[in-house]
Amino acid sequence: MKKLAIFASGTGTNTAKIIEHFKENKTSIVALVVSNKSSAGVLKIAEVNHIPTLILQKEIFFQGNGYVNELKSAGIDIIVLAGFLWQLPVSLIRAFPKKIINIHPALLPKFGGKGMYGNHVHEAVLASGEKESGISIHFVDEQYDRGQIIMQAKCSINKNDDVHSLANKIHQLEHRHFSPTIEVFSTL
Ligand code: GAR
């Protein structure tokens, strides 16, 4: 059984789905929920599910080995980024090669990079007049939002869509595809 650490900065709807998924499918277990924000809703979800949490301090995270030792001693095999807004330091990426995956709420390589998170992504997609958007699940490497893509799923955009409706479509895709993709990846 693989031990997952989920890194998240926000509400945590994807984290909640992943926790539920791996209660049923015991190929992996969510062993730790990590956040950079002590007020993040995702921490409440962890608490309700009796999952240990770790709140990151910026000065530690971006210096030297950061939290690598803590993650290794907790036995973490795979790191899942589910709405985590800090770019990962190279020390962490190198400590977990091809073991860190991220979900991005658009069809990379378009609409990725710094500042492209949450509704900013959907605003940019709508402003560009795209006819479709979607999700990208990809490996995290040293190039922000550029790691090898594991899977993508698409949705159409119609003329009535706004940020709210597009965000809803994207969340639905994420909730459907993220956990099964993590499961396949973790059993390789
Ligand atoms: C998700 O839509 C995820 O794709 C996005 O944050 C949201 C978190 O939602 N991630 C990024 O924008 C990363 N660049 P959640 O807190 O409800 O799971």
Side-chain angles (χ1 to χ4, degrees), residues 5-152:
I6 303 182
F7 283 43
S9 306
T11 320
T13 64
N14 280 289
T15 300
K17 290 281 174 193
I18 297 165
I19 291 169
E20 288 310 314
H21 181 91
F22 287 106
K23 279 183 191 165
E24 300 295 320
N25 303 271
K26 300 195 187 301
T27 50
S28 293
I29 183 170
V30 179
L32 187 64
V33 171
V34 178
S35 186
N36 59 314
K37 265 174 80 175
S38 57
S39 59
V42 71
L43 294 170
K44 189 83 202 154
I45 293 169
E47 190 189 312
V48 167
N49 286 284
H50 311 289
I51 296 170
T53 57
L54 172 66
I55 298 174
L56 303 171
Q57 306 299 318
K58 205 170 197 167
E59 316 76 67
I60 299 175
F61 190 63
F62 290 106
Q63 255 182 37
N65 251 355
Y67 287 89
V68 168
N69 292 344
E70 282 86 344
L71 293 164
K72 292 284 184 190
S73 60
I76 299 303
D77 299 296
I78 293 167
I79 295 174
V80 174
L81 309 185
F84 184 68
L85 300 186
W86 285 353
Q87 187 170 356
L88 298 195
V90 170
S91 56
L92 182 55
I93 294 169
R94 291 193 181 157
F96 289 88
K98 287 241 165 183
K99 297 289 178 203
I100 309 178
I101 62 177
N102 180 43
I103 192 160
H104 186 79
L107 297 170
L108 292 173
K110 285 182 177 177
F111 306 107
K114 234 181 160 29
M116 280 295 179
Y117 61 89
N119 284 347
H120 296 295
V121 179
H122 309 315
E123 277 160 15
V125 170
L126 290 169
S128 73
E130 295 283 327
K131 296 280 174 283
E132 59 182 16
S133 188
I135 61 167
S136 304
I137 300 172
H138 65 97
F139 288 114
V140 173
D141 64 15
E142 292 172 32
Q143 286 181 286
Y144 199 53
D145 281 345
R146 290 281 171 170
Q148 187 193 338
I149 290 170
I150 299 167
M151 77 83 70
Q152 292 184 307

Side-chain angles (χ1 to χ4, degrees), residues 155-158 161 165-174:
C155 61
S156 59
I157 297 175
N158 60 53
D161 274 318
S165 65
L166 181 54
N168 270 340
K169 288 182 185 177
I170 295 295
H171 259 125
Q172 278 179 29
L173 286 177
E174 293 185 332

